[in-house]
Amino acid sequence: MAVSVQPVFASSLAWSAVSGRSINSTRSSRTELRRGLGGGGGSVRCSSAAVEAERRVTVKNGSDSLEICRVLNGMWQTSGGWGRIDRDDAVEAMLRHADAGLSTFDMADHYGPAEDLYGIFINRVRRERPPEYLENVRGLTKWVPPPVKMTSSYVRENINISRKRMDVASLDMLQFHWWDYANPGYLDALKHLTDLKEEGKIKTVALTNFDTERLQKILENGVPVVSNQVQHSIVDMRPRQRMAELCKLTGVKLITYGTVMGGLLSEKFLDTNLTIPFAGPRLNTPSLQKYKRMVDAWGGWNLFQSLLQTLKRIASKHGVSISTVAVRYILDQPGVAGSMIGVRLGLAEHIEETNAIFSLVLDEEDVESIQEVTKKGKDLLQVIGDCGDEYRRI
């Protein structure tokens, strides 16, 4: 569905009114929104200011800060395996997402053409949208280096590649991943990234898939990371345990991915039996295959169906989708600043469904019914290990 540009310029003024808010400051807005919804049907319209306040959040550490949309457009799907991406169609889709207020894009150096697409997109924004629109657009990327010696020149060279591909003087956020903790080079890399931040080539330094122990070590070494991107869903509640406690103590926030489990947490997989060949939807993307393994580790397909049925009842009650409930539940978890939803740019869009997340308020009955199912699953912290351990266990 095409979205007109003009309403977004008006909403950008609402965004500027809440600029600089921390994640904690949204609590009063959530209370206001909950009161507004209490009147039933049309009362959401009376709480539009609260909805807009819920849309954006600031992650920060010391003097470093970045305002982002709480629902991020994940661009892993541009790397292949989800269908052929047409460059022009993809950029048009990015514009539609940004026009609808979904203006934060998450990518990585190894997500195929993702950084290049962002570079084309941001230039379209510069040419075709007013300056105040650009103020709300964010491009977050990741650097996933091989385990080589992390010299200043090597780090600088790789960050310059991303800057050139994204066509920005300064990266809004550089999220750093490291494969092997036995190799302490990650501390050297983060020191050099901090130096580049001081030079203005990076606005904020962050992490992806680091566990609690290493996050604490990094902070103790004086690296001002603002967030850690980790897998977090109704099925995978590992970040709620050790990681959330450290976040509470330090102010570091979580950006979550896998929150809709590649699409498994949706009506498409409700009342399906994957044990019967060709009887249900195909697990035909890398993300579906990945998160099906998480389901198996957690409790299996039958328990997952019980979860989907519960989520469907909640979704029907609120007039939203299963995926919308799944994301809202994680956004309400301790320490979570934002959650990722993968976008198949130019192939499929769920803009209206995604925007419904900001006005959804889950009540105590909803939360209790979800927890009644999830407590029957296995503790993935015991099965897999802490956040990111799934990438490091052989």
Side-chain angles (χ1 to χ4, degrees):
M1 178 181 70
V3 181
S4 62
V5 173
Q6 186 60 37
V8 174
F9 298 153
S11 68
S12 70
L13 299 178
W15 292 342
S16 65
V18 296
S19 177
R21 297 167 70 99
S22 71
I23 184 71
N24 290 330
S25 69
T26 66
R27 290 174 181 168
S28 59
S29 298
R30 292 289 290 165
T31 302
E32 177 188 346
L33 179 58
R34 187 173 281 107
R35 289 171 180 161
L37 288 168
S43 61
V44 174
R45 290 189 294 272
C46 299
S47 302
S48 58
V51 173
E52 288 304 320
E54 172 65 15
R55 181 181 292 273
R56 298 185 71 81
V57 66
T58 297
V59 292
K60 59 184 179 180
N61 188 328
S63 60
D64 298 343
S65 67
L66 186 72
E67 188 185 65
I68 61 173
C69 181
R70 292 203 72 196
V71 177
L72 300 88
N73 304 310
M75 295 178 67
W76 182 29
Q77 283 77 0
T78 66
S79 62
W82 288 264
R84 182 181 176 274
I85 296 291
D86 178 85
R87 185 192 70 177
D88 294 337
D89 290 346
V91 173
E92 288 291 341
M94 293 175 76
L95 285 166
R96 287 193 294 273
H97 279 78
D99 285 348
L102 303 170
S103 55
T104 298
F105 297 85
D106 179 272
M107 64 213 83
D109 59 340
H110 62 290
Y111 286 2
E115 291 184 335
D116 301 299
L117 290 172
Y118 184 84
I120 300 169
F121 157 76
I122 200 67
N123 273 295
R124 286 279 302 274
V125 170
R126 290 164 181 155
R127 295 194 307 269
E128 301 173 13
R129 304 292 190 269
E132 61 267 26
Y133 184 108
L134 185 61
E135 292 174 2
N136 291 306
V137 177
R138 298 288 182 266
L140 285 52
T141 195
K142 306 179 193 74
W143 182 39
V144 185
V148 298
K149 187 173 180 58
M150 293 289 113
T151 65
S152 175
S153 60
Y154 181 78
V155 174
R156 181 182 298 272
E157 176 186 349
N158 280 273
I159 298 312
N160 283 340
I161 291 172
S162 289
R163 290 172 58 228
K164 181 177 181 180
R165 292 179 70 190
M166 296 173 67
D167 201 8
V168 293
S170 179
L171 300 176
D172 288 327
M173 180 185 288
L174 191 285
Q175 301 165 103
F176 176 70
H177 175 91
W178 191 251
W179 291 106
D180 181 13
Y181 294 144
N183 180 344
Y186 65 91
L187 291 173
D188 296 325
L190 285 164
K191 177 185 179 301
H192 299 315
L193 289 172
T194 302
D195 291 341
L196 291 173
K197 179 187 68 68
E198 295 299 325
E199 293 178 20
K201 293 180 171 57
I202 300 170
K203 294 177 184 176
T204 54
V205 174
L207 305 173
T208 181
N209 290 311
F210 273 80
D211 65 9
T212 308
E213 180 183 347
R214 253 56 59 160
L215 172 58
Q216 181 171 353
K217 184 174 183 180
I218 288 165
L219 293 171
E220 288 173 349
N221 275 268
V223 181
V225 298
V226 297
S227 63
N228 186 21
Q229 187 175 137
V230 294
Q231 184 173 294
H232 198 357
S233 69
I234 294 177
V235 166
D236 185 1
M237 295 296 289
R238 288 176 295 161
R240 178 68 193 265
Q241 301 181 58
R242 300 172 186 167
M243 185 67 68
E245 183 62 28
L246 181 60
C247 288
K248 180 180 179 181
L249 292 172
T250 63
V252 172
K253 299 303 178 185
L254 300 177
I255 296 176
T256 73
Y257 66 88
T259 307
V260 296
M261 303 188 73
L264 288 178
L265 285 169
S266 70
E267 282 78 3
K268 181 178 180 179
F269 289 91
L270 177 64
D271 297 329
T272 60
N273 186 350
L274 298 187
T275 64
I276 303 175
F278 310 110
R282 292 188 300 156
L283 302 178
N284 57 354
T285 68
S287 51
L288 286 172
Q289 294 160 9
K290 171 182 178 178
Y291 294 114
K292 173 56 165 59
R293 293 192 292 271
M294 300 301 297
V295 168
D296 294 340
W298 172 68
W301 195 250
N302 287 339
L303 181 57
F304 187 69
Q305 284 300 308
S306 296
L307 176 60
L308 287 179
Q309 290 160 7
T310 297
L311 294 176
K312 181 59 178 177
R313 287 194 294 272
I314 297 170
S316 298
K317 168 183 167 181
H318 293 283
V320 297
S321 70
I322 288 175
S323 296
T324 299
V325 174
V327 177
R328 182 71 261 172
Y329 185 81
I330 296 303
L331 282 177
D332 290 340
Q333 297 304 309
V336 175
S339 292
M340 200 95 54
I341 296 181
V343 286
R344 300 177 64 196
L345 298 171
L347 299 175
E349 286 185 8
H350 305 279
I351 291 174
E352 184 176 352
E353 178 182 343
T354 300
N355 266 324
I357 295 166
F358 300 113
S359 58
L360 174 61
V361 178
L362 299 177
D363 58 35
E364 291 183 9
E365 181 183 16
D366 300 330
V367 172
E368 288 173 0
S369 62
I370 291 171
Q371 293 176 347
E372 187 66 26
V373 180
T374 58
K375 70 181 182 181
K376 298 175 183 177
K378 296 178 181 177
D379 180 357
L380 292 183
L381 187 70
Q382 302 300 319
V383 177
I384 299 173
D386 202 0
C387 300
D389 281 356
E390 61 269 30
Y391 295 101
R392 299 177 179 89
R393 290 192 170 186
I394 298 175

